Amino acid sequence: MRVLITGATGLIGSKISRSCRDKGIEVHYLTTSKDKLENKPDYKGFYWNPNENEIDSKAIEGVDAIINLVGASIAERWTPEQKEKILKSRTETASLLYKCLQENEHQIKQVVSASAIGVYPSSLEKLYTEEDQGVDDSFVGEVVVKWEEAVDNFKDLGIEVAKIRIGLVLAENGGMLEKLKEPVNFNVGSPLGNGKQWQSWIHIEDITGIFMYALENKLTGVYNAVAPNPVTNKEMVNEVASQLGKPVWLPNVPKVALKLVLGEMAHIVLSSQLVSSDKIEREGYSFNYVNLTKALEDLI
């Protein structure tokens, strides 16, 4: 089997690439950096430049499935320019891939694409499943809707589509945990806002596992990629501090202060998404990390 991965050198993509190769699945990957092009028997890079509608069509030769992970980070201040970059890096890349498949012979039967739980409206009470149709009234909600619409277009080519709505990724290097550890390490960690907002997290090993499970079992439709036991922001900060052996003695950071520092991007840390993992578990996926304590023990 051979897969084409976009975003293959990122936090999640590098793990999935390694997992594919460990399982004997050859990896083709697309990169905007010619310095990152490699040419190994099971790992070959191909250049693309979505801004210029440029893509090396050799990337799809012999490929059975696409794992789509590309997208600019939303964890940077949302200037108008950054917002445009965040949106286009998800929609225009999908359109370019679509055009490449439309214009060239290929044998691709499946696309497994990243998405985000940020599409669900912020709520302190509601447990969200994949059946919920509501969309968060925010920039993140808008991005996810347009992102998923762009990915759904592949169905027009007779390709099956799976969309993996990713929660807050915990990893040793990078992701949410790195940002949480910094203030805690300096003894200035504290809950954000009222600290009651739900944070549906997932260990990097499980996000990798879910993508591989979707690929190998040819899943279609929407799946939440979150651990079975979400926590509040206060519980998250306290558990990280406990693992690091640091105190949490400062009062909560007020919402108004966060909005002053982060601007509109404060929505990411203040919004509350209590999200269910039941659907992927019913499909047969078994989580490696069910509880936050064990996940952080592994990573910290």
Side-chain angles (χ1 to χ4, degrees):
M1 187 180 190
R2 180 181 292 166
V3 299
L4 172 63
I5 302 179
T6 69
T9 57
L11 178 68
I12 298 170
S14 57
K15 296 280 188 184
I16 292 174
S17 296
R18 170 51 57 197
S19 186
C20 284
R21 295 166 75 188
D22 287 346
K23 288 172 176 268
I25 300 170
E26 292 179 22
V27 172
H28 282 190
Y29 66 95
L30 287 163
T31 176
T32 57
S33 171
K34 291 182 178 178
D35 294 337
K36 291 182 179 177
L37 292 174
E38 294 187 42
N39 189 4
K40 296 175 180 174
D42 65 343
Y43 188 67
K44 292 181 182 176
F46 299 85
Y47 179 74
W48 72 337
N49 183 347
N51 292 331
E52 300 295 329
N53 276 321
E54 184 182 347
I55 185 171
D56 186 347
S57 62
K58 292 188 182 70
I60 64 172
E61 289 179 2
V63 168
D64 303 291
I66 296 173
I67 296 178
N68 181 47
L69 302 165
V70 67
S73 172
I74 64 165
E76 290 185 29
R77 195 174 182 89
W78 292 351
T79 62
E81 295 77 19
Q82 182 64 14
K83 278 178 150 185
E84 186 179 19
K85 184 179 176 184
I86 288 166
L87 184 57
K88 284 186 173 180
S89 66
R90 287 160 172 80
T91 56
E92 291 188 355
T93 50
S95 297
L96 182 55
L97 267 176
Y98 179 94
K99 186 166 176 280
C100 181
L101 298 185
Q102 196 176 36
E103 295 175 352
N104 295 277
E105 270 192 42
H106 67 87
Q107 62 189 47
I108 293 164
K109 301 288 191 296
Q110 183 189 25
V111 171
V112 182
S113 179
S115 182
I117 64 168
V119 70
Y120 299 119
S122 181
S123 172
L124 294 175
E125 292 90 25
K126 183 167 174 56
L127 175 66
Y128 286 106
T129 71
E130 292 84 349
E131 302 303 314
D132 284 294
Q133 299 298 309
V135 175
D136 192 46
D137 182 20
S138 68
F139 173 63
V140 175
E142 175 195 347
V143 167
V144 176
V145 168
K146 290 180 178 176
W147 189 5
E148 291 191 355
E149 284 174 352
V151 172
D152 278 336
N153 287 334
F154 288 102
K155 295 176 187 175
D156 297 342
L157 302 175
I159 295 170
E160 299 285 3
V161 173
K163 293 166 287 188
I164 312 297
R165 289 179 175 167
I166 302 171
L168 300 169
V169 178
L170 302 182
E172 197 169 356
N173 299 303
M176 178 197 179
L177 183 56
E178 192 168 63
K179 296 190 187 312
L180 276 173
K181 279 162 61 178
E182 286 173 9
V184 171
N185 267 324
F186 288 103
N187 296 320
V188 290
S190 61
L192 306 176
N194 61 21
K196 294 177 183 177
Q197 64 271 35
W198 286 102
Q199 301 199 306
S200 295
W201 59 274
I202 186 166
H203 189 291
I204 185 72
E205 195 174 305
D206 280 314
I207 194 66
T208 304
I210 287 174
F211 269 89
M212 295 304 297
Y213 195 83
L215 175 73
E216 292 172 318
N217 292 278
K218 298 182 171 53
L219 300 187
T220 60
V222 178
Y223 292 89
N224 294 329
V226 294
N229 293 297
V231 296
T232 64
N233 174 259
K234 184 176 182 179
E235 289 169 332
M236 175 74 76
V237 172
N238 284 337
E239 189 58 48
V240 170
S242 174
Q243 297 278 349
L244 290 169
K246 299 286 186 178
V248 175
W249 57 275
L250 289 173
N252 292 25
V253 181
K255 188 183 290 189
V256 66
L258 285 166
K259 287 182 175 176
L260 277 172
V261 173
L262 300 175
E264 192 183 348
M265 197 182 83
H267 178 81
I268 298 175
V269 295
L270 292 172
S271 66
S272 174
Q273 274 97 17
L274 179 61
V275 178
S276 169
S277 62
D278 281 356
K279 186 178 178 183
I280 192 68
E281 289 184 278
R282 287 198 307 271
E283 286 287 354
Y285 182 75
S286 180
F287 280 86
N288 294 293
Y289 293 94
V290 173
N291 295 306
L292 181 64
T293 301
K294 292 294 183 188
L296 292 178
E297 279 175 4
D298 177 66
L299 296 167
I300 294 178

